[in-house]
Amino acid sequence: MEMGSVTQAAADAAKLEGRRLRMEGKSSAIDHTIRSPGTISINFQGAFIVDEASSNPLTPIDDGPQHDTDIRLPNHQAVIGGSLAKLVYFSHEPNSKDLGGRLNFLRYETDQIDQCLGFIKRLQSEHHQQNGSKSGKMSIMATGGGAYKYYEEMKRVLGVEVLREDEMDCLIMGLDFFITEIPQEVFTYNDADPMHFEEARADIYPYLLVNIGSGVSMIKVSGQSKFERIGGTSLGGGTLWGLLSLLTGARTFDDMLQMAETGDNGAVDMLVGDIYGADYGKIGLKSTTIASSFGKVFKMKRQGEHQAEDHGGLSGEGREDDNDASSSQPVFKPEDISRSLLYAVSNNIGQIAYLQSEKHNLERIYFGGSFIRGHRQTIQTLSYAISFWSKGEKKAYFLRHEGYLGSVGAFLKRQPRNWGRRNSFEERPASMFTNQPREN
């Protein structure tokens, strides 16, 4: 090989390696942006996302809640909303004379409600210390199942009036707010442009909201306070959590999502390539397309049983080495099972959402709820499903604060009219790849 060819080959290899490292860095940055979406500042002029370390007035209890994001906004008190263990509360900006402040977000496991109420008690104490005799009455707004299940306990522990808000009203109000008011909040996802932000917009109706919690509700929104539930499915986050609890050793939903990141669904699912040996281009199916979720399990299990029978029978008679016989049984890794089931649930939700959007002539499809949790594979799967079934004509839209739509909606019900008006905010520079992790 000539020296020039060697030099060119080395240069090409270096270029490819540099590109790979940049893509890995970009991928890591995107994951961080989705999971740690920064803070949002709101005042009477408007709202914007601020990618900076927050200064929360209180430090959460160790091993308790996870501090997700902050929002700055006009004067208010506190709110519980969304799922049972989600808390949103207001705090003033330290050393600031502005009327605005910050809305803080925390997330608790459902068995940590005592810690959640204990944290609110600390907020009460801090509020009283800062305001003294001028301290106003703290307001607690609750929505969702927790507004009823924990109503008496919240009143007893906190000693305040708990105002219960309708869950669906709050959900839609919160989403409308994020879509119309917050820049760099709504985004789409695809392989070519993994995180493309949509501009905040006023002409948002009609649209479809797919709210994925334990189950799935699909809501057609025609205007302010004009909505109807048009469908859904019982196969949602609770299905994934329940089945993976039985099939793997994971104990939390986040553990399951983390296992899915390293899994190979091809070890469990039957793919198009397993059937045809290649793509089925005539009908637009790639070789990696899932033909049957968990489709390989039965076949591999039967093969293992036959092998066991050939080595002495399933009863173990005639086996010289039990370890050798047991090694013939197929082993399905929990990571592969997690990934397969995540794809199965997400693909099913995506297809139903597309069909509902077609039936009701809805162009925009927004996904929200605690199932997503900023998990890249979930977002990618839902996006692919909408794009695949619509032949690229429709997109799936996601929000960086997707888990707090209901709680923010409950908060907004107690706000002055016309606060944070759209497009009245001062533009602030914010890079989607410069977020820094915040200390809790």
Side-chain angles (χ1 to χ4, degrees):
M1 181 180 293
E2 297 180 359
M3 182 60 67
S5 300
V6 174
T7 304
Q8 183 61 43
D12 291 342
K15 183 182 294 185
L16 288 173
E17 178 65 10
R19 181 181 179 184
R20 183 186 66 82
L21 292 174
R22 286 195 300 273
M23 290 300 296
E24 287 182 357
K26 185 176 181 180
S27 176
S28 176
I30 291 171
D31 287 340
H32 178 72
T33 301
I34 294 175
R35 298 189 183 190
S36 303
T39 68
I40 299 179
S41 179
I42 304 176
N43 51 39
F44 283 105
Q45 283 73 48
F48 53 91
I49 290 181
V50 182
D51 297 321
E52 62 181 22
S54 69
S55 52
N56 299 308
L58 294 174
T59 300
I61 300 170
D62 292 339
D63 299 324
Q66 177 179 342
H67 234 119
D68 282 335
T69 61
D70 296 339
I71 294 182
R72 298 183 196 168
L73 67 171
N75 209 355
H76 203 72
Q77 289 109 3
V79 55
I80 293 178
S83 299
L84 304 184
K86 289 178 183 175
L87 172 65
V88 179
Y89 68 93
F90 172 82
S91 63
H92 289 286
E93 288 292 345
N95 305 317
S96 174
K97 297 181 180 180
D98 294 338
L99 292 175
R102 181 168 299 201
L103 194 62
N104 307 272
F105 292 73
L106 292 95
R107 197 170 64 225
Y108 290 82
E109 293 292 334
T110 53
D111 60 354
Q112 296 174 333
I113 189 64
D114 291 340
Q115 291 189 26
C116 180
L117 297 181
F119 187 80
I120 298 176
K121 288 286 288 184
R122 294 172 64 195
L123 290 176
Q124 286 180 300
S125 176
E126 179 76 9
H127 180 66
H128 181 72
Q129 291 176 9
Q130 290 181 350
N131 297 278
S133 60
K134 297 181 181 180
S135 176
K137 186 177 180 180
M138 175 174 277
S139 298
I140 302 294
M141 280 75 74
T143 185
Y148 297 89
K149 184 174 182 178
Y150 294 101
Y151 178 73
E152 294 297 335
E153 185 175 357
M154 285 190 288
K155 288 180 61 178
R156 176 181 58 81
V157 173
L158 302 175
V160 298
E161 182 182 5
V162 178
L163 307 176
R164 290 179 288 193
E165 303 289 352
D166 180 77
E167 181 176 10
M168 206 63 69
D169 284 339
C170 294
L171 195 67
I172 301 305
M173 183 174 288
L175 179 56
D176 282 357
F177 167 74
F178 280 120
I179 296 173
T180 59
E181 296 282 351
I182 310 299
Q184 294 199 1
E185 170 68 32
V186 179
F187 65 94
T188 58
Y189 185 101
N190 61 60
D191 293 335
D193 189 2
M195 196 172 188
H196 177 77
F197 285 113
E198 298 289 316
E199 294 293 331
R201 46 183 293 168
D203 56 332
I204 62 175
Y205 307 113
Y207 65 79
L208 176 66
L209 168 61
V210 182
N211 192 52
I212 313 173
S214 297
V216 183
S217 287
M218 300 186 184
I219 306 158
K220 175 183 177 181
V221 183
S222 304
Q224 288 187 350
S225 301
K226 293 182 180 180
F227 58 86
E228 62 174 321
R229 187 181 186 275
I230 57 176
T233 172
S234 61
L235 305 181
T239 307
L240 181 67
W241 195 341
L243 289 176
L244 289 182
S245 296
L246 294 173
L247 298 173
T248 73
R251 296 188 176 184
T252 69
F253 195 61
D254 289 327
D255 287 344
M256 298 170 191
L257 294 179
Q258 186 173 4
M259 284 196 304
E261 290 183 358
T262 59
D264 175 16
N265 69 296
V268 177
D269 296 338
M270 183 177 294
L271 309 180
V272 168
D274 296 321
I275 300 173
Y276 295 99
D279 297 345
Y280 192 172
K282 188 174 182 179
I283 58 175
L285 296 178
K286 297 180 180 179
S287 62
T288 55
T289 300
I290 299 172
S292 174
S293 296
F294 284 77
K296 287 181 180 175
V297 174
F298 178 77
K299 182 178 179 180
M300 293 176 65
K301 187 172 182 298
R302 289 294 300 159
Q303 288 176 345
E305 290 172 349
H306 290 319
Q307 291 177 11
E309 292 170 358
D310 293 341
H311 286 82
L314 294 175
S315 64
E317 295 180 3
R319 290 180 185 169
E320 296 181 358
D321 190 338
D322 286 343
N323 290 330
D324 290 342
S326 62
S327 65
S328 65
Q329 294 291 329
V331 177
F332 299 103
K333 297 180 180 179
E335 293 83 1
D336 300 340
I337 293 172
S338 298
R339 190 160 188 146
S340 172
L341 195 56
L342 174 67
Y343 281 169
V345 172
S346 299
N347 279 323
N348 182 63
I349 294 171
Q351 183 176 15
I352 296 174
Y354 163 72
L355 293 174
Q356 290 288 4
S357 72
E358 284 292 287
K359 179 180 178 180
H360 295 273
N361 195 28
L362 301 171
E363 188 65 27
R364 299 176 74 85
I365 307 172
Y366 293 92
F367 288 88
S370 56
F371 172 77
I372 299 174
R373 298 200 183 192
H375 188 247
R376 181 168 178 160
Q377 285 181 328
T378 307
I379 293 172
Q380 185 180 35
T381 305
L382 292 169
S383 296
Y384 178 81
I386 297 299
S387 178
F388 177 84
W389 291 110
S390 70
K391 294 181 171 57
E393 294 182 0
K394 293 186 178 182
K395 299 178 182 178
Y397 294 89
F398 303 92
L399 295 95
R400 294 166 74 177
H401 299 84
E402 90 281 324
Y404 294 95
L405 304 182
S407 51
V408 169
F411 176 88
L412 295 174
K413 281 180 171 285
R414 303 292 163 176
Q415 283 302 312
R417 293 186 62 186
N418 297 325
W419 71 280
R421 296 176 300 278
R422 181 178 181 271
N423 289 334
S424 62
F425 57 85
E426 177 185 358
E427 289 287 337
R428 304 290 183 92
S431 170
M432 59 183 285
F433 299 135
T434 58
N435 299 354
Q436 297 298 320
R438 299 189 348 265
E439 295 181 357
N440 288 347

